[in-house]
Amino acid sequence: MTKLLLAAAALSLAISTPLAAREITHAMGVTEVPDAPKRVAILTNEGTEALLHLGVVPVGAAQSWAGDPFYPHIADQLTDTVSLGTETAINLEVLAALEPDLIIGTKVRQEQVYEQLSAIAPTVLSETIGSEWLENYAFYGEVLDLGEEARAKVDAFKARAAELGAAIGDGTEEEISLVRFAPGRTRIYSDHSFPGVVLDLVGFARPALQQSEETFVQIGKERIPEMGGDRIFYFAPDDDPAESVANLDEWLNDPLFLQLEAVKNGKVSRVEELAWNLGGGIYSAYMMLDDIAEIYGVSLPPQAQ
């Protein structure tokens, strides 16, 4: 069934290729894409946020990691969008049935199915996701023929982050430690992660051990001292299942954790995992800025996002 759908989609693509097209260089090569795509499918969570922020509602999108099927903060914009499965398990039959005229994804997730995707519609892939989210936002804008608008919105976010940093003032000199607690997966996040990039744009310092090309390091309790910083932001599963609650309590009450200077100084804050980790896109990044402003007790003038 899948082969028939893909073959039909390829035939349809061959006889209905848009007259006006542009060449886009991407992680898998060069692809001709329509100048004004009407039916865009997006295969990453960060990409879904980017498209919506640029005013493009996708016909199909990868479902959110913890949504039904999309995160609450974007669900009302996706009422007519079909869930395509997770980033790592895109349903090709459902995708083909939507007859998209453009597919956008990422090599780190969809490299193995790139040929099948390209048989359905012109497909472009970013290299990776996470720390590259702002670069990807600008890239998606170029792919959608909205490059100028995308660059302006990237600049607007950077300006907002800098504005927040200026409002916080000397507080940005604090070294921020960033930790995720989950059963069997406690991680310390580096400056080369989605939240790490946002913290950097605000102007925060980071502990030397958290300045790394690796997105995160997974640790056991013996490495709790590596969580050290002037202030700790941490996140855990937002729905608080019993297993997660027990795991979090165990870590937060470990003697090594209680000896950290940030803990003794009362500078430990829990933040939402959705905004700080799962969402990975521009709406989530603005949510991060709001969280930071609240933690530091500063306010900024309202700004259109």
Short mmCIF file of all heavy atoms in Angstrom, two decimals, residues 27-61:
data_model
loop_
_atom_site.label_atom_id
_atom_site.label_comp_id
_atom_site.label_asym_id
_atom_site.label_seq_id
_atom_site.Cartn_x
_atom_site.Cartn_y
_atom_site.Cartn_z
N ALA A 27 20.71 20.21 3.66
CA ALA A 27 21.60 19.19 4.21
C ALA A 27 21.77 17.97 3.31
O ALA A 27 22.76 17.25 3.42
CB ALA A 27 21.11 18.75 5.59
N MET A 28 20.82 17.73 2.41
CA MET A 28 20.88 16.56 1.54
C MET A 28 21.21 16.90 0.09
O MET A 28 21.21 16.01 -0.76
CB MET A 28 19.55 15.81 1.60
CG MET A 28 19.17 15.30 2.98
SD MET A 28 20.35 14.11 3.68
CE MET A 28 20.14 12.74 2.57
N GLY A 29 21.47 18.18 -0.21
CA GLY A 29 21.81 18.55 -1.57
C GLY A 29 21.09 19.81 -2.03
O GLY A 29 20.95 20.76 -1.28
N VAL A 30 20.63 19.81 -3.26
CA VAL A 30 19.91 20.95 -3.84
C VAL A 30 18.56 20.46 -4.34
O VAL A 30 18.47 19.44 -5.03
CB VAL A 30 20.70 21.58 -5.00
CG1 VAL A 30 19.92 22.75 -5.60
CG2 VAL A 30 22.07 22.05 -4.52
N THR A 31 17.51 21.20 -3.99
CA THR A 31 16.15 20.82 -4.38
C THR A 31 15.41 22.02 -4.93
O THR A 31 15.53 23.12 -4.39
CB THR A 31 15.37 20.24 -3.18
OG1 THR A 31 16.03 19.05 -2.73
CG2 THR A 31 13.93 19.91 -3.55
N GLU A 32 14.65 21.81 -5.98
CA GLU A 32 13.78 22.86 -6.49
C GLU A 32 12.49 22.87 -5.69
O GLU A 32 11.82 21.84 -5.56
CB GLU A 32 13.47 22.64 -7.98
CG GLU A 32 14.57 23.09 -8.91
CD GLU A 32 14.06 23.27 -10.34
OE1 GLU A 32 12.90 22.90 -10.61
OE2 GLU A 32 14.83 23.78 -11.17
N VAL A 33 12.16 24.03 -5.16
CA VAL A 33 10.92 24.15 -4.37
C VAL A 33 10.03 25.22 -5.00
O VAL A 33 10.52 26.15 -5.64
CB VAL A 33 11.23 24.53 -2.90
CG1 VAL A 33 12.19 23.52 -2.28
CG2 VAL A 33 11.80 25.93 -2.79
N PRO A 34 8.71 25.09 -4.82
CA PRO A 34 7.81 26.08 -5.41
C PRO A 34 7.99 27.45 -4.76
O PRO A 34 8.29 27.56 -3.57
CB PRO A 34 6.42 25.51 -5.12
CG PRO A 34 6.61 24.56 -3.98
CD PRO A 34 7.99 24.01 -4.13
N ASP A 35 7.80 28.49 -5.55
CA ASP A 35 7.93 29.86 -5.05
C ASP A 35 6.90 30.18 -3.97
O ASP A 35 7.18 30.89 -3.02
CB ASP A 35 7.77 30.86 -6.20
CG ASP A 35 9.07 31.06 -6.96
OD1 ASP A 35 10.12 30.67 -6.41
OD2 ASP A 35 9.04 31.58 -8.08
N ALA A 36 5.71 29.67 -4.13
CA ALA A 36 4.63 29.97 -3.17
C ALA A 36 3.93 28.68 -2.79
O ALA A 36 2.81 28.40 -3.24
CB ALA A 36 3.65 30.97 -3.76
N PRO A 37 4.57 27.86 -1.96
CA PRO A 37 3.96 26.57 -1.59
C PRO A 37 2.64 26.78 -0.85
O PRO A 37 2.51 27.67 -0.03
CB PRO A 37 5.02 25.93 -0.68
CG PRO A 37 5.82 27.08 -0.16
CD PRO A 37 5.85 28.08 -1.27
N LYS A 38 1.67 25.94 -1.17
CA LYS A 38 0.34 26.06 -0.58
C LYS A 38 0.05 24.96 0.44
O LYS A 38 -0.78 25.14 1.32
CB LYS A 38 -0.73 26.01 -1.68
CG LYS A 38 -0.59 27.08 -2.76
CD LYS A 38 -0.73 28.47 -2.18
CE LYS A 38 -0.67 29.53 -3.28
NZ LYS A 38 -0.69 30.91 -2.73
N ARG A 39 0.74 23.82 0.28
CA ARG A 39 0.46 22.67 1.15
C ARG A 39 1.79 22.16 1.71
O ARG A 39 2.42 21.29 1.14
CB ARG A 39 -0.28 21.58 0.38
CG ARG A 39 -1.64 22.03 -0.17
CD ARG A 39 -2.36 20.90 -0.89
NE ARG A 39 -2.63 19.76 -0.01
CZ ARG A 39 -3.63 19.72 0.86
NH1 ARG A 39 -4.46 20.74 0.98
NH2 ARG A 39 -3.82 18.65 1.60
N VAL A 40 2.19 22.75 2.82
CA VAL A 40 3.50 22.45 3.41
C VAL A 40 3.34 21.43 4.53
O VAL A 40 2.45 21.55 5.38
CB VAL A 40 4.16 23.73 3.97
CG1 VAL A 40 5.54 23.42 4.54
CG2 VAL A 40 4.24 24.80 2.89
N ALA A 41 4.22 20.44 4.54
CA ALA A 41 4.28 19.48 5.64
C ALA A 41 5.58 19.72 6.40
O ALA A 41 6.64 19.90 5.79
CB ALA A 41 4.23 18.05 5.11
N ILE A 42 5.49 19.72 7.72
CA ILE A 42 6.67 19.98 8.55
C ILE A 42 6.89 18.79 9.48
O ILE A 42 5.95 18.30 10.09
CB ILE A 42 6.51 21.30 9.34
CG1 ILE A 42 7.77 21.60 10.16
CG2 ILE A 42 5.27 21.30 10.20
CD1 ILE A 42 8.98 21.95 9.33
N LEU A 43 8.14 18.34 9.59
CA LEU A 43 8.43 17.08 10.28
C LEU A 43 9.18 17.25 11.59
O LEU A 43 9.68 16.27 12.13
CB LEU A 43 9.22 16.16 9.34
CG LEU A 43 8.63 15.98 7.93
CD1 LEU A 43 9.44 14.95 7.16
CD2 LEU A 43 7.16 15.57 7.98
N THR A 44 9.26 18.47 12.11
CA THR A 44 9.90 18.69 13.41
C THR A 44 9.04 19.63 14.26
O THR A 44 8.32 20.47 13.73
CB THR A 44 11.30 19.31 13.28
OG1 THR A 44 11.18 20.64 12.76
CG2 THR A 44 12.20 18.48 12.38
N ASN A 45 9.15 19.49 15.56
CA ASN A 45 8.42 20.36 16.47
C ASN A 45 8.90 21.80 16.37
O ASN A 45 8.10 22.73 16.37
CB ASN A 45 8.57 19.85 17.92
CG ASN A 45 7.68 18.66 18.21
OD1 ASN A 45 6.57 18.81 18.71
ND2 ASN A 45 8.16 17.47 17.89
N GLU A 46 10.21 21.99 16.31
CA GLU A 46 10.73 23.35 16.18
C GLU A 46 10.25 23.98 14.89
O GLU A 46 9.92 25.17 14.84
CB GLU A 46 12.26 23.36 16.25
CG GLU A 46 12.90 23.19 14.92
CD GLU A 46 14.35 23.59 14.76
OE1 GLU A 46 15.05 23.84 15.74
OE2 GLU A 46 14.77 23.60 13.60
N GLY A 47 10.18 23.18 13.83
CA GLY A 47 9.73 23.68 12.54
C GLY A 47 8.27 24.08 12.55
O GLY A 47 7.88 25.06 11.90
N THR A 48 7.45 23.33 13.28
CA THR A 48 6.04 23.68 13.38
C THR A 48 5.88 25.06 14.01
O THR A 48 5.11 25.90 13.53
CB THR A 48 5.28 22.64 14.22
OG1 THR A 48 5.40 21.36 13.60
CG2 THR A 48 3.81 22.99 14.33
N GLU A 49 6.64 25.32 15.09
CA GLU A 49 6.58 26.64 15.71
C GLU A 49 7.04 27.72 14.74
O GLU A 49 6.45 28.81 14.67
CB GLU A 49 7.43 26.66 16.99
CG GLU A 49 6.88 25.79 18.10
CD GLU A 49 7.33 26.21 19.49
OE1 GLU A 49 7.96 27.29 19.62
OE2 GLU A 49 7.03 25.48 20.44
N ALA A 50 8.08 27.44 13.98
CA ALA A 50 8.61 28.43 13.04
C ALA A 50 7.58 28.75 11.97
O ALA A 50 7.33 29.93 11.66
CB ALA A 50 9.89 27.91 12.40
N LEU A 51 6.97 27.72 11.38
CA LEU A 51 6.00 27.97 10.31
C LEU A 51 4.82 28.79 10.82
O LEU A 51 4.40 29.76 10.18
CB LEU A 51 5.50 26.64 9.74
CG LEU A 51 6.21 26.17 8.44
CD1 LEU A 51 7.70 25.95 8.70
CD2 LEU A 51 5.56 24.91 7.90
N LEU A 52 4.28 28.40 11.97
CA LEU A 52 3.15 29.14 12.52
C LEU A 52 3.53 30.58 12.82
O LEU A 52 2.75 31.51 12.57
CB LEU A 52 2.64 28.46 13.80
CG LEU A 52 2.02 27.08 13.62
CD1 LEU A 52 1.67 26.48 14.98
CD2 LEU A 52 0.77 27.14 12.73
N HIS A 53 4.73 30.79 13.33
CA HIS A 53 5.20 32.13 13.66
C HIS A 53 5.33 32.99 12.40
O HIS A 53 5.20 34.22 12.46
CB HIS A 53 6.54 32.04 14.39
CG HIS A 53 6.91 33.26 15.16
ND1 HIS A 53 7.92 34.10 14.77
CD2 HIS A 53 6.41 33.78 16.31
CE1 HIS A 53 8.03 35.09 15.65
NE2 HIS A 53 7.13 34.92 16.59
N LEU A 54 5.57 32.33 11.27
CA LEU A 54 5.68 33.03 9.99
C LEU A 54 4.33 33.10 9.27
O LEU A 54 4.26 33.57 8.13
CB LEU A 54 6.70 32.31 9.10
CG LEU A 54 8.16 32.49 9.51
CD1 LEU A 54 9.05 31.49 8.77
CD2 LEU A 54 8.64 33.91 9.25
N GLY A 55 3.28 32.64 9.92
CA GLY A 55 1.95 32.74 9.34
C GLY A 55 1.58 31.63 8.38
O GLY A 55 0.62 31.76 7.61
N VAL A 56 2.33 30.52 8.41
CA VAL A 56 2.07 29.39 7.52
C VAL A 56 1.53 28.22 8.34
O VAL A 56 2.22 27.70 9.22
CB VAL A 56 3.36 28.96 6.78
CG1 VAL A 56 3.10 27.71 5.93
CG2 VAL A 56 3.90 30.09 5.93
N VAL A 57 0.30 27.81 8.06
CA VAL A 57 -0.30 26.67 8.76
C VAL A 57 -0.04 25.42 7.92
O VAL A 57 -0.50 25.32 6.77
CB VAL A 57 -1.81 26.87 8.96
CG1 VAL A 57 -2.41 25.64 9.64
CG2 VAL A 57 -2.08 28.13 9.78
N PRO A 58 0.70 24.45 8.44
CA PRO A 58 1.01 23.25 7.66
C PRO A 58 -0.20 22.35 7.48
O PRO A 58 -1.08 22.30 8.35
CB PRO A 58 2.09 22.57 8.51
CG PRO A 58 1.80 23.00 9.91
CD PRO A 58 1.30 24.42 9.78
N VAL A 59 -0.23 21.61 6.37
CA VAL A 59 -1.31 20.64 6.17
C VAL A 59 -1.07 19.40 7.03
O VAL A 59 -2.00 18.70 7.41
CB VAL A 59 -1.46 20.23 4.69
CG1 VAL A 59 -1.91 21.42 3.87
CG2 VAL A 59 -0.17 19.63 4.14
N GLY A 60 0.21 19.14 7.32
CA GLY A 60 0.58 18.01 8.17
C GLY A 60 1.80 18.38 8.98
O GLY A 60 2.65 19.15 8.53
N ALA A 61 1.87 17.85 10.20
CA ALA A 61 3.01 18.18 11.08
C ALA A 61 3.33 17.00 11.97
O ALA A 61 2.44 16.22 12.36
CB ALA A 61 2.69 19.42 11.92
#
